[in-house]
Amino acid sequence: MADHYEVLGVSREATTDEIKKAYRRLARELHPDVNPGADASERFKEVTHAYDVLSDAKQRQQYDMGGSGGMGGAGFGGFGDIFDTFFGGGQTQRGPKSRRERGQDALLRVEVDLDEVIFGTHRDLEVDTAVLCETCQGSCSQPGTSPITCDICHGSGQIQRAVRSLLGNVMTSSPCGSCRGYGTIIVSPCVTCQGQGRVRARRTVPVDIPAGVDTGLRLQMPGSGEIGQAGGPHGDLYLEIKVRNHEIFSRNGDDLLCTLDVQMTDAILGVSTTIQALDGDVDLDLKPGTQSSEVLTIKGRGITKLRGNGRGDLRIGIQVVTPTKLDHREKELIKSFAAGRKQQDTQLGHFQQGLFSKLRDKFLG
Ligand SMILES: [Zn+2]
Ligand SMILES: [Zn+2]
């Protein structure tokens, strides 16, 4: 057997650290997982044995004195983590893996209108997805045939290999290349699905979209995604909601917002009117002297709450419209009205108290 120091390429005076470094460098290029050649495998064993001996002070001393540098048994595992770091070990999978795999999740975007959000809505969504193969029912084999046990791994799906590690023999296992780790081989793959157990199809998924959803919300529909390989469990379907903008009504949380233009004369004298909300008519009574920027709140006519009970409110911002075109008679009437009024002063106010911010504050406050 070659000299342990020569095998590792270090001097007789090398420190433990230098020996460790040399071994790591060699192991990286010779480990069977990296370098499948028979030569490399032999050298790897040699290098590992040399390292085992020289990294242990007692064994190294014996070796230096002409001893055999005995093959130490399994140790306390202090280097196990190094080994794992090198080779991505740590796999504890035992036995063949199942062909059945969980299907992937899918994401669909769904657009809904604001009026649909008030009470929730229903959609029948067309989804391109994977469904169970009817021919083989997910078995992946042609009907009447069955998979055979892999004769390379004898059904275990794993190839075991003894590897000399830092501290003795270690059994490593890797997926069997012949059966790809399944332990069985499908000799007559189903023709319909090419042995996948599933086929692509267009499917209709009925979806109840709850009231109160908002743009960006994701609804999870467990088990409504594609079916897995070989009849494995379905993935989940996610619906990402987008609420289309409405040309009149907007939204603040569960409240619906709009504005109402009121003629100056109606604002002065008061008026009863009916407006068409998203969920039907709403009767309004504007009291005499209604001001611009007043907000009428209609309780319970907003959006049904996604979480919790009840509905938000409908909030209507009043905008008094000043007439711009008056005929001669109207002008005279207004003039005589104005002449009869004592208080004609204009008054300065803080900008923040102006119409725009008042409306906004009342809406959002
Ligand atoms: Zn099939
Ligand atoms: Zn196999």
Side-chain angles (χ1 to χ4, degrees):
M1 186 177 269
D3 179 74
H4 287 351
Y5 291 100
E6 283 173 22
V7 165
L8 289 174
V10 296
S11 76
R12 297 211 149 250
E13 287 73 40
T15 63
T16 313
D17 233 33
E18 288 170 322
I19 288 167
K20 199 186 279 180
K21 270 187 197 145
Y23 173 67
R24 284 188 188 183
R25 186 176 48 76
L26 288 163
R28 272 200 196 98
E29 62 179 73
L30 296 172
H31 190 277
D33 285 358
V34 184
N35 194 334
D39 276 357
S41 166
E42 271 314 301
R43 277 203 64 209
F44 180 70
K45 283 181 194 164
E46 217 175 298
V47 163
T48 304
H49 176 57
Y51 176 74
D52 280 350
V53 174
L54 297 187
S55 59
D56 180 85
K58 207 170 154 196
Q59 287 190 49
R60 184 177 179 181
Q61 197 182 19
Q62 276 178 11
Y63 179 75
D64 287 345
M65 286 159 61
S68 69
M71 312 275 278
F76 38 84
F79 287 113
D81 47 351
I82 295 174
F83 203 79
D84 286 349
T85 311
F86 280 176
F87 307 115
Q91 285 181 343
T92 52
Q93 193 187 357
R94 290 262 179 271
K97 67 176 181 184
S98 170
R99 276 197 174 79
R100 285 167 58 86
E101 284 171 12
R102 184 180 179 275
Q104 289 196 328
D105 296 338
L107 177 68
L108 279 181
R109 293 194 168 79
V110 184
E111 289 198 11
V112 293
D113 287 320
L114 194 54
D115 57 337
E116 295 179 295
V117 172
I118 296 179
F119 299 115
T121 188
H122 182 88
R123 285 278 198 285
D124 286 319
L125 297 173
E126 298 276 288
V127 189
D128 282 314
T129 187
V131 300
L132 187 71
C133 172
E134 295 292 339
T135 307
C136 66
Q137 292 294 316
S139 76
C140 306
S141 292
Q142 266 299 88
T145 70
S146 0
I148 55 161
T149 302
C150 173
D151 56 7
I152 303 296
C153 64
H154 308 292
S156 72
Q158 305 281 315
I159 298 296
Q160 303 275 331
R161 197 162 32 204
V163 176
R164 291 283 306 152
S165 83
L166 313 189
L167 293 164
N169 276 324
V170 162
M171 295 299 283
T172 67
S173 60
S174 48
C176 170
S178 175
C179 61
R180 305 215 317 273
Y182 295 125
T184 57
I185 290 172
I186 291 173
V187 274
S188 312
C190 170
V191 178
T192 309
C193 63
Q194 274 92 47
Q196 294 301 302
R198 56 180 181 169
V199 289
R200 307 236 37 110
R202 175 158 282 210
R203 194 161 64 94
T204 303
V205 182
V207 175
D208 285 315
I209 297 169
V213 296
D214 207 345
T215 296
L217 183 83
R218 278 191 183 185
L219 300 171
Q220 185 185 13
M221 302 183 60
S224 289
E226 65 167 26
I227 197 171
Q229 176 182 271
H234 287 264
D236 297 339
L237 179 63
Y238 289 87
L239 300 183
E240 191 172 285
I241 301 292
K242 181 175 190 290
V243 180
R244 290 193 201 98
N245 288 333
H246 192 276
E247 77 181 292
I248 290 175
F249 294 92
S250 59
R251 177 178 186 174
N252 180 44
D254 295 318
D255 291 342
L256 287 171
L257 314 179
C258 67
T259 60
L260 181 67
D261 286 355
V262 177
Q263 293 306 310
M264 182 190 73
T265 45
D266 287 340
I268 293 169
L269 300 171
V271 69
S272 291
T273 183
T274 301
I275 63 160
Q276 223 187 340
L278 286 172
D279 61 336
D281 291 349
V282 175
D283 295 327
L284 295 179
D285 281 314
L286 297 176
K287 63 182 193 309
T290 291
Q291 304 290 325
S292 252
S293 87
E294 262 179 40
V295 174
L296 302 180
T297 298
I298 315 297
K299 287 278 176 201
R301 293 296 292 269
I303 293 166
T304 306
K305 292 178 171 147
L306 180 64
R307 295 178 185 86
N309 295 319
R311 293 172 63 180
D313 302 330
L314 172 62
R315 314 198 71 203
I316 303 160
I318 302 298
Q319 297 187 126
V320 176
V321 181
T322 307
T324 50
K325 282 180 183 149
L326 299 173
D327 61 25
H328 181 73
R329 195 177 138 269
E330 289 169 333
K331 207 178 254 176
E332 290 307 314
L333 283 170
I334 298 286
K335 272 183 182 167
S336 70
F337 170 74
R341 302 279 294 175
K342 299 278 176 246
Q343 184 195 340
Q344 296 289 323
D345 295 344
T346 53
Q347 201 180 349
L348 272 179
H350 192 270
F351 180 74
Q352 286 303 313
Q353 291 169 3
L355 165 70
F356 323 106
S357 55
K358 254 191 201 164
L359 250 185
R360 196 173 54 231
D361 290 351
K362 283 183 183 170
F363 269 151
L364 305 179

